[in-house]
Structures are given as C-alpha cells and as structure tokens.
Amino acid sequence: MKAIVAGPLVAPAHEYRGHPERPSRVEAVAAGIDDLDLGSDRVDAPERAATFDELVRVHDPSYLRKLAAFCEEGGGKVDPDTYATPISWDAACAAAGAGLAAVDALANGRADVAFVAARPPGHHALANRAMGFCLINNVAVAAAQLADAGERVLIVDWDVHHGNGTEALFWDDDRICYVSTHQDRIYPGTGAASDTGGTAAPGLTVNIPLPAGATGDVMERALDDVVSPVVERFAPTWVLVSAGFDAHRDDPLASLELSSGDYARMATIVRGYAPNAGRLAVFLEGGYDLDALRASTAATLGALVGASSPAEAPTSGGPGIEAVARARSVHAAA
Ligand SMILES: [Zn+2]
C-alpha cells in the first residue's frame, strides 16, 4: 500500500517560548514516518499554501484578514492558550494547504492513504475565532472542499480534546458526519453525548466523552458500538481523521491511557469506514510527548499501509464502558 505524506516536515518556526505546541512535534512525527521505511511506497505531496478562497469555505473573511494582520504586526497571544507570531499566518496556510494537497493526491490515485503532518493544529478553530493552539481548521478546510465537490465526508476526531471548532462548522451540514472521542470535562468543555447535530443534520454529530483512565479496549468499543452503526447509515465517500495523539498515556496534557498499539487498532477500524482505498486522510492534531507522538504516528500509519512497526501492547481494563453505553443509547434513539 502506498502512503501520501504531506506537510512542511521541516516546520516553519511557528513557536512561542515554553509552549507545548512546538516545532519539535512535527519532527517527531516525521521520525515516526521514517521509522516505517516505506521506501517507494512513500509519496511526498508537493507543499503548497491554502488560498484565501479555500479558507473562506469555513472561516469568515474578516477573521482571516484580522489574523493575517495580527501576525504581520508581530503577533502575540490570541487567547491564554493560543499564540501567533510573524510567520504564523504562513504556517497556518501551509498546514491547511498540506491537507488539500493530500486530498488532491489521493483523488488523483497516487496512493491508498495520506498522512498530513502539519501544524499548527486545527480542530478547535471556529469560523471567526482562533483557540486551543489552532488558527485555521485544517481538517474542516479539506472536508468543506470535498463536500462542495459532492462528497459525503466522515470526520473521526480521536484527539483527547473535543474538536469544538469542527463540530460547530458542520453542526447543521448533512454532507458531513463529525465523530469525536475525547476525555470528559477537560478543555474546551464541549462535546456532551447529547449534542448530536442541528435540525438539518440530526444524528450526524457523534460525541463520546470518556472518563480519565479510559483504555484502548474502551475506545474500540466506542468505535464498534457507537460509531460503526452511524457510519453505516451515513455511508461516507471520504474519511478524514483528526488524529491527536494526546490520548496516549504518556501525554502531559490529558489522562487517557492509550498506547501506540491502541492507535494501530483504532486506525484499522477507521480504515474500514472508507468505501475504497485512496479515500482516507489522517491529519495531525494534538500530541505533546515527543516519544509517544513518534511511536503513535508509526503505529497509525503502519496499520493503514500494512507496514510493521514495533507498537506497544494494546491497553485494557480502564473505566468508560458506561460512557460508551450512554452514547450508544443516544444514537440508537436518533
Ligand atoms: Zn488535543
């Protein structure tokens, strides 16, 4: 199986002193991809920046102009968690462009899956607001382009934080199904199981909040019991993954207990949601422990392309089965 690798793998210096969302993250991801030794099965997508017209599919033009001007004037803190520097506008456009380049390369039949190794991440970014380390919503920009071309897009967000930005952007959009597994009661505080989409897209938002300590077996149950039936009904033509690796047990920002081997199993399940080869793209979101990020990247992409990687053993025995059952009952009734 061939894999597209997209992104500025040599990260632009979008960086703020002491901030966990830092350039070495993408270096760890690049090392994880290199660990797979894909050889000629690796296809690097050309780097390109998303255009203004591509970004306004999901963001307000006035927000984009303000963000670009803020960066040009030197940047600073956008909110207590989120920063921008003089080069952050370019970095954000490059990250969004990497997603578009990956999708284009897949659509042109160049590979079976794509891994978008770009930062800053995107899933917290709203139409008119940066938040949670995110400036532009990379996965949403790609999903909107696909939906405008007539595709039905499933977004699976397994970052440990709820992707409030992506949820809000597609809340009432019946062309896009948004699924999130996340740790309950941490940033940004959204993502209740009872939040299931707007009147124009009922049941097409799927939230599965999990308690601290949840392990890989719980995550698999969430996918099998809650997500798989929804996906079957929705019948996506494309699958995009908001792949945060901050649900790993070594991550400093959250308290789920996944191993890299769990990510491999989740990737295998999610691959089954794509109707054909060449319709699955994985987007880097969070993940702040560099070793976990490297190992989880290799495990995820390795599982998708059938390359072996020395992943950690899957985990089990943590809490959360009741939370999965609650989400299941919400969507069984939907
Ligand atoms: Zn996260």
Side-chain angles (χ1 to χ4, degrees), residues 162 167 182 184 189-196 205-209 330-331:
H162 178 239
E167 177 188 88
H182 47 272
D184 201 3
T190 47
S194 54
D195 292 343
T196 57
T205 292
V206 180
N207 283 310
I208 310 170
V330 166
H331 283 277

Side-chain angles (χ1 to χ4, degrees), residues 123-124 159-161 244 246 285-288:
H123 73 150
H124 295 302
D159 190 280
V160 79
H161 303 99
D246 41 11
E285 298 281 3
Y288 304 96

